[in-house]
Each structure stands twice: as structure tokens, then as C-alpha cells.
Amino acid sequence: MAVMRIRIDAVDLPGLTRPAPAEGAAPIHGDLHVAVQRRDRPAELLDPQPGDASSATWTLECTTSTSPAGTEIRGPYVQDRLGRRFIYLSWGTVDASGVFTMFRRAKLMLDVIPADVLAAAAREGLLVGHLGLTDAQGGPLCARVEPPHITWTAARG
């Protein structure tokens, strides 16, 4: 096993309020924040960022190993459901007492990273994902996130 880091560089955050579904309606959610969710612990979030930040960056520690299927990634923030690995970005609201209440998530799919990029990242020590976090309706990006909505590159880490 080798140690590797994953850095998520996010831009184009949607703002502090989720837009209303109809013109003139009140926003659905306010004081939006986004964070990386720990595996099997939805309440454990890494570095929540406000939805109006100019950018957000998270760095995750993980390990890689080689298997017949290619390079496998494991770590405390790497989810593994039905053999598919991904990272959850959790969107939520933060109330006056600082409590985060999740209302949606984005899955940054790791199993769609090109094999050569993943192998290079394992060798070099750093995998970088770059993405925008606003969806086509102006709200928080959710659901499965795959290229071209995210760009994965290897870097020296």
C-alpha cells in the first residue's frame, strides 16, 4: 500500500441560498455550506465551507493498492458502495447554533478516473479533482459527478 492524498479544488459555488423553484418564491434553503463527508459517518464533516466562498479546497489522506482491476483507493473519506468508490460532498444549512443539516449530496465518482491518471497519482502522491459546484439551475451540484463535470489530474504530492 502506498500513501496518497486527494485534493478537491472547487470553484463556482452557488451562494448562501438555494434558489426558489418558481420566480418570486422564497429560497428553499439558506446559509448553505458544503463539506466532505466521512465514510459511514454522515455527521462527521471535513472543513465545511460557506456556499458563497470564492473557492473551496479539501485534502484527504488515503492509501492506494494495485489489484487485478487496477489502482484501488481507500481512506476515511472514500465511500465504497456496491464496489464503486466515491467521495461525498454534503450540502447543508447551518443554523444559528452552528448545526449542519444535510439536504443533498454530490458523489465524486472515483471509478471513472482514467487508469493512467490514477496510476500516475498513486506514483506521484497526489490526485487532484477540479470542479464547479453550481448546477444548471443555479443551485448546489448534486448526484453523480463524472467527467466532464470534474477534471482529475495527477500531481507531485
Side-chain angles (χ1 to χ4, degrees):
M1 271 193 204
V3 174
M4 183 179 81
R5 293 182 303 135
I6 299 172
R7 189 178 76 220
I8 301 165
D9 291 335
V11 296
D12 189 30
L13 280 77
L16 287 176
T17 58
R18 182 172 173 205
E23 191 174 319
I28 296 173
H29 297 289
D31 205 8
L32 295 180
H33 282 68
V34 60
V36 176
Q37 177 185 311
R38 189 174 175 96
R39 183 182 66 245
D40 299 325
R41 297 181 189 165
E44 273 190 52
L45 301 169
L46 177 65
D47 200 16
Q49 297 293 309
D52 65 347
S54 60
S55 65
T57 299
W58 298 273
T59 301
L60 319 173
E61 300 295 325
C62 61
T63 59
T64 62
S65 61
T66 303
S67 76
T71 304
E72 294 190 17
I73 303 172
R74 289 188 168 77
Y77 294 95
V78 176
Q79 310 289 328
D80 184 2
R81 300 284 186 269
L82 303 173
R84 301 205 64 194
R85 292 202 169 88
F86 56 91
I87 296 166
Y88 267 138
L89 288 184
S90 292
W91 288 98
T93 59
V94 176
D95 67 18
S97 61
V99 174
F100 182 97
T101 303
M102 184 189 69
F103 66 87
R104 72 175 5 171
R105 296 186 286 203
K107 281 184 175 180
L108 308 184
M109 304 305 295
L110 300 175
D111 60 348
V112 299
I113 298 170
D116 60 330
V117 172
L118 193 50
R123 262 192 328 275
E124 298 295 323
L126 181 63
L127 177 66
V128 180
H130 183 81
L131 76 160
L133 292 181
T134 299
D135 68 14
Q137 291 75 42
L141 182 69
C142 69
R144 290 166 38 111
V145 180
E146 300 179 346
H149 300 292
I150 186 168
T151 304
W152 293 102
T153 57
R156 187 166 299 276

